[in-house]
């Protein structure tokens, strides 16, 4: 390999990290529900926006992976960032449900160009460099980029929008737009790694196999539904908590403080997954977030104390993602190598299918009260504990030997 080519490939890891960092940068996140309400949406309509995201994921997640194989992964990522710029720009002009629904659909579409494509881009870069052995280490560092970008920007956002005025919201939207433009510059500097045609020609068959494996294997179905139902429960709470906390007397600034806490905990756990898995009872790792979702949602629904609700929010928001690396390990250890790349798409597809009816129902409940909406995460966590709870025998403690 030419020295110049190797250096350019090595630079891909740096560029991809910062591309995702800036495309994930969102100064509006800590007050996004308040922004929607300010722009004229109702509380039920906020839940219906989630349907737009899921619809776009259902339609585009799989086709964009094929586009990346045929057209090139770098070009697909660049196109995704360009669509992300369009989504952030259009948000300046959203003032009703239809415009916000279209904006959410476009924003979800932009991330569909990243879904699975980044992992393949990173893997093929390392493969050409003959460094496949550091894929897990490099992927872990890359995954931190999505959390690192949210450590301070939501807090900066609430400092700017302390009185929730039109001008302040527009300043925050400008920050998000600038972030997307910077991400586009990083994406444009990447170089396309060599394609591996055996992956391209067999992706459709492997995707079909992945769906078949998930449906046939009782343990993989249990793991997938345990993971997915609690993620959706956490998402429903995330769609709910901001206005209630504000009504309880919590300041806008404290809404921003939540995000450095959320993401610091996530980064800490993601960086210590192997240690935690070996040190603690494995069943507790999978069960505790489910119990937190069940009990925490019930307490939040009846609480009038802003500080109790504030601390409950910290735990309830992270329950959906804190177990992610542990589930990834359990799923990947049970799959053949050729199915690993496509199983994530299959699980994402199933999640989006569940999202739509659940969010429709949440929107209906929201027309009565936000407190009633929290019965949904209570129900989903109870359902998980009754039917999809992982037993010790279900948890692999090490990679099984190849058969």
């Amino acid at each position: 390999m030419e020295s110049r080519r190797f250096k350019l490939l090595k630079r891909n890891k740096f560029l991809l990290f910062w591309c995702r960092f800036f495309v994930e940068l969102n100064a509006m996140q800590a007050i996004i529900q308040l922004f929607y309400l300010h722009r004229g949406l109702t509380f039920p309509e906020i839940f219906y926006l989630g349907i737009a995201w899921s619809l776009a994921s259902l339609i585009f997640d799989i086709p964009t992976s094929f586009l990346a194989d045929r057209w090139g992964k770098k070009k697909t990522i660049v196109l995704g960032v360009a669509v992300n710029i369009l989504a952030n720009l259009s948000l300046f002009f959203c003032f009703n449900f239809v415009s916000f629904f279209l904006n959410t659909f476009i924003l979800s579409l932009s991330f569909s160009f990243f879904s699975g494509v980044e992992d393949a881009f990173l893997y093929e870069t390392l493969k050409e460099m003959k460094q496949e052995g550091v894929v897990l280490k490099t992927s872990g560092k890359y995954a931190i980029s999505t959390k690192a970008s949210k450590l301070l920007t939501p807090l900066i956002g609430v400092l700017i929008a302390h009185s929730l005025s039109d001008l302040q919201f527009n300043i925050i939207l400008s920050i998000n737009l600038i972030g997307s433009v910077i991400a586009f510059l990083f994406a444009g500097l990447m170089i396309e790694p060599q394609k591996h045609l055996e992956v391209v020609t067999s992706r459709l068959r492997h995707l079909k196999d992945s769906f078949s494996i998930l449906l046939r294997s009782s343990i993989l179905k249990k793991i997938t539904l345990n993971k997915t139902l609690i993620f959706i429960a956490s998402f429903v709470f995330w769609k709910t908590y901001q206005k209630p906390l504000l009504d309880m007397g919590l300041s806008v600034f404290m809404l921003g403080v939540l995000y450095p806490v959320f993401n610091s905990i996530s980064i800490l756990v993601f960086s210590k997954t192997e240690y935690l898995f070996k040190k603690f009872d494995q069943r507790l790792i999978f069960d505790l977030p489910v119990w937190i979702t069940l009990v925490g949602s019930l307490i939040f629904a009846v609480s009038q104390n802003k500080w109790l609700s504030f601390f409950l929010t910290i735990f309830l928001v992270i329950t959906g993602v804190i177990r992610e690396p542990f589930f990834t390990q359990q799923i990947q250890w049970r799959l053949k190598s050729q199915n690993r790349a496509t199983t994530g798409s299959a699980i994402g597809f199933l999640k989006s299918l569940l999202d739509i009816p659940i969010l429709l129902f949440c929107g209906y409940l929201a027309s009565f009260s936000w407190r009633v909406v929290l019965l949904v995460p209570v129900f989903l966590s109870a359902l998980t504990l009754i039917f999809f709870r992982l037993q010790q025998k279900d948890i692999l403690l090490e990679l099984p030997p190849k058969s």
Side-chain angles (χ1 to χ4, degrees), residues 119-325:
D119 291 337
F121 179 87
L122 185 61
Y123 175 78
E124 291 190 349
T125 294
L126 294 171
K127 187 175 180 67
E128 187 178 344
M129 295 170 66
K130 303 189 184 304
Q131 294 183 356
E132 300 98 311
V134 297
V135 167
L136 285 177
K137 181 179 179 181
T138 307
S139 297
K141 290 180 179 178
Y142 172 70
I144 289 175
S145 67
T146 63
K147 298 298 178 184
S149 66
K150 298 180 178 71
L151 279 174
L152 293 177
T153 46
L155 184 57
I156 293 171
V158 299
L159 289 173
I160 293 171
H162 56 91
S163 61
L164 307 177
S165 69
D166 286 330
L167 176 61
Q168 291 167 353
F169 280 129
N170 284 332
I171 292 172
I172 296 176
L173 292 178
S174 299
I175 293 172
N176 293 350
L177 180 60
I178 291 169
S180 294
V181 172
I182 295 173
F184 185 82
L185 297 176
F186 278 111
L189 292 172
M190 298 187 299
I191 65 166
E192 186 75 33
Q194 290 178 357
K195 285 186 179 181
H196 297 90
L197 294 178
E198 72 279 4
V199 176
V200 176
T201 55
S202 60
R203 184 182 290 272
L204 183 59
R205 177 169 58 82
H206 291 160
L207 184 63
K208 181 181 176 182
D209 289 345
S210 294
F211 276 112
S212 179
I213 290 168
L214 285 176
L215 293 175
R216 288 199 318 264
S217 171
S218 59
I219 181 58
L220 280 176
K221 277 192 291 188
K222 183 191 285 190
I223 289 171
T224 299
L225 287 169
N226 186 304
K227 171 182 182 289
T228 302
L229 291 176
I230 298 305
F231 184 90
I232 295 174
S234 179
F235 179 72
V236 169
F237 178 81
W238 181 79
K239 282 280 189 181
T240 307
Y241 79 91
Q242 291 177 7
K243 185 65 164 57
L245 285 182
L246 202 66
D247 290 343
M248 289 179 197
L250 204 71
S251 67
V252 174
F253 173 75
M254 290 306 296
L255 292 180
V257 169
L258 284 167
Y259 276 81
V261 178
F262 296 155
N263 291 292
S264 295
I265 295 173
S266 297
I267 289 172
L268 179 62
V269 172
F270 290 169
S271 64
K272 299 291 183 181
T273 51
E274 187 175 2
Y275 170 81
L276 294 172
F277 189 72
K278 291 179 178 178
K279 185 72 174 178
F280 295 97
D281 185 327
Q282 292 82 22
R283 186 174 169 181
L284 184 64
I285 291 173
F286 293 101
D287 271 0
L288 186 58
V290 185
W291 282 108
I292 289 172
T293 304
L294 175 62
V295 178
S297 298
L298 279 173
I299 296 174
F300 192 99
V302 299
S303 173
Q304 300 290 337
N305 186 296
K306 64 181 179 181
W307 293 114
L308 173 61
S309 299
F310 176 83
F311 286 109
L312 282 172
T313 298
I314 294 172
F315 293 104
L316 287 167
V317 170
I318 64 173
T319 53
V321 297
I322 206 75
R323 305 181 301 166
E324 181 72 27

Side-chain angles (χ1 to χ4, degrees), residues 293-397:
T293 304
L294 175 62
V295 178
S297 298
L298 279 173
I299 296 174
F300 192 99
V302 299
S303 173
Q304 300 290 337
N305 186 296
K306 64 181 179 181
W307 293 114
L308 173 61
S309 299
F310 176 83
F311 286 109
L312 282 172
T313 298
I314 294 172
F315 293 104
L316 287 167
V317 170
I318 64 173
T319 53
V321 297
I322 206 75
R323 305 181 301 166
E324 181 72 27
F326 303 103
F327 276 112
T328 298
Q329 178 196 64
Q330 292 297 308
I331 292 170
Q332 295 299 316
W333 277 358
R334 287 174 165 83
L335 298 172
K336 296 178 181 179
S337 60
Q338 64 265 28
N339 296 114
R340 286 176 181 155
T342 51
T343 300
S345 296
I347 292 173
F349 188 86
L350 292 174
K351 175 195 167 294
S352 295
L353 282 177
L354 290 171
D355 274 343
I356 294 172
I358 291 173
L359 290 175
L360 274 172
F361 185 58
C362 286
Y364 169 73
L365 292 179
S367 62
F368 298 99
S369 167
W370 65 263
R371 298 182 190 275
V372 182
V373 174
L374 292 185
L375 292 176
V376 173
V378 170
F379 172 76
L380 292 176
S381 52
L383 190 68
T384 302
L385 288 170
I386 295 169
F387 295 106
F388 308 113
R389 189 178 188 182
L390 298 186
Q391 305 300 320
Q392 191 62 48
K393 63 183 176 64
D394 299 325
I395 302 170
L396 293 176
L397 302 181

